[in-house]
Amino acid sequence: SYERVCQYIARKSDSVVVSVGYRLAPEHPYPAQFEDCLTATIHFLRNAQDYGVDPSRIIICGDSSGGTLTAAVAQALVNRRDLPKLRAQILIYPYLQCVDFDLPSYQQNEKVPILIKERTLVLGLKYLNIDPRLKEALFQGYHVPEDLRLKYQKWVSVDNIPHEFKARGYKPSTKHPPSEEIYTQVKPLFDTVFSPLLAEDSVIARLPEAFILTCEFDVLRDDGLLYKKRLEDHGIKVTWCHLQEGFHGTV
């Protein structure tokens, strides 16, 4: 389904494009997908010249869950001194955090196809082999312990989203008391491979330049906006494109 997209990118950018055929869940449980993408990236960085590619000009890219994998791979490589540095990362409407499923974009686009709010959670939980019936508890925020809520609020906060993105309607949600039992069941959600927005500042500060694409009619819009702010707060250059009429899957 992505061959024509990759051909288009190669033709229009005069670039070598490598598409990673990573193993898929549920037959291959998480984090096999990330491991495959990381392995392929490392291989290409080491052998770029065999493909006629300048090792200093390699960009990684992905959309939706591929954007999650792209962000996670970029983070995994920041401390690698044995490899060329990535030139940039391209994140196209990425999924990036599990802390707040009631951000303005989740409220405004709850029923907008193709990625309705409920489907986002169900797919994520199945991906991690967690009972999808826990989605209601996640919608309510029962899964975030108080110490993590305090830690993450500086990164995952409605205050970090520009006012114009709340214009279509936003109602602050009621914070429910956390449940240790639910947190224990969904703990893998907080892994930075699954939620790259939750990476430590020391990692974020060393990331390569980024291009981030967001769509107005997408539950994941605010994930992209929050990551954009985090990168820019650390002096990382971000090129941002917002599609005012765009929706998830628009590529």
Side-chain angles (χ1 to χ4, degrees):
S1 62
Y2 277 81
E3 183 173 0
R4 289 183 67 187
V5 173
C6 291
Q7 288 179 347
Y8 179 85
I9 294 169
R11 187 169 65 249
K12 290 292 186 178
S13 63
D14 191 25
S15 301
V16 173
V17 174
V18 178
S19 180
V20 182
Y22 58 84
R23 291 169 292 170
L24 302 178
E27 292 80 7
H28 301 280
Y30 167 91
Q33 299 71 29
F34 163 73
E35 291 167 351
D36 287 354
C37 290
L38 181 61
T39 299
T41 304
I42 291 171
H43 171 80
F44 195 78
L45 285 165
R46 283 181 173 154
N47 299 281
Q49 291 174 331
D50 293 347
Y51 300 91
V53 171
D54 180 346
S56 69
R57 300 182 67 189
I58 295 174
I59 299 168
I60 56 174
C61 171
D63 73 319
S64 193
S65 57
T68 315
L69 291 166
T70 298
V73 168
Q75 292 181 4
L77 294 174
V78 295
N79 292 319
R80 293 292 296 262
R81 297 183 179 179
D82 59 323
L83 298 169
K85 294 293 184 186
L86 290 172
R87 173 64 183 85
Q89 55 181 322
I90 296 176
L91 313 179
I92 301 173
Y93 39 73
Y95 170 93
L96 296 169
Q97 62 85 30
C98 68
V99 174
D100 192 343
F101 296 108
D102 207 36
L103 294 168
S105 61
Y106 271 105
Q107 290 190 16
Q108 296 160 0
N109 304 306
E110 181 177 8
K111 300 295 184 183
V112 175
I114 57 173
L115 193 66
I116 63 173
K117 179 176 177 177
E118 182 178 5
R119 189 179 189 204
T120 307
L121 265 290
V122 170
L123 289 174
L125 292 170
K126 285 184 175 180
Y127 179 44
L128 296 178
N129 199 26
I130 297 171
D131 188 347
R133 290 174 295 182
L134 289 170
K135 67 179 187 294
E136 293 301 330
L138 271 65
F139 286 152
Q140 305 289 336
Y142 287 108
H143 63 300
V144 189
E146 194 59 38
D147 60 330
L148 291 184
R149 188 171 288 174
L150 290 171
K151 176 180 179 179
Y152 296 143
Q153 68 182 3
K154 62 181 180 292
W155 305 331
V156 186
S157 169
V158 176
D159 296 338
N160 293 341
I161 297 169
H163 180 73
E164 61 263 31
F165 293 103
K166 304 167 193 172
R168 285 199 289 125
Y170 168 68
K171 184 179 180 181
S173 55
T174 303
K175 296 300 181 188
H176 296 277
S179 163
E180 187 65 34
E181 180 186 354
I182 290 173
Y183 168 67
T184 301
Q185 293 182 70
V186 303
K187 198 172 180 180
L189 287 170
F190 297 92
D191 182 351
T192 55
V193 167
F194 185 81
S195 297
L197 183 57
L198 307 184
E200 296 296 332
D201 287 337
S202 58
V203 173
I204 298 292
R206 301 183 65 187
L207 287 170
E209 181 179 347
F211 174 94
I212 298 175
L213 183 139
T214 54
C215 292
E216 179 61 28
F217 298 100
D218 181 7
V219 290
L220 301 183
R221 180 197 68 200
D222 294 348
D223 282 26
L225 295 177
L226 292 171
Y227 205 54
K228 171 181 179 288
K229 184 179 188 306
R230 274 208 79 189
L231 292 171
E232 290 177 335
D233 285 349
H234 285 277
I236 309 297
K237 182 181 177 183
V238 178
T239 301
W240 173 52
C241 175
H242 181 66
L243 302 183
Q244 194 61 46
E245 302 298 324
F247 54 90
H248 195 86
T250 199
V251 163

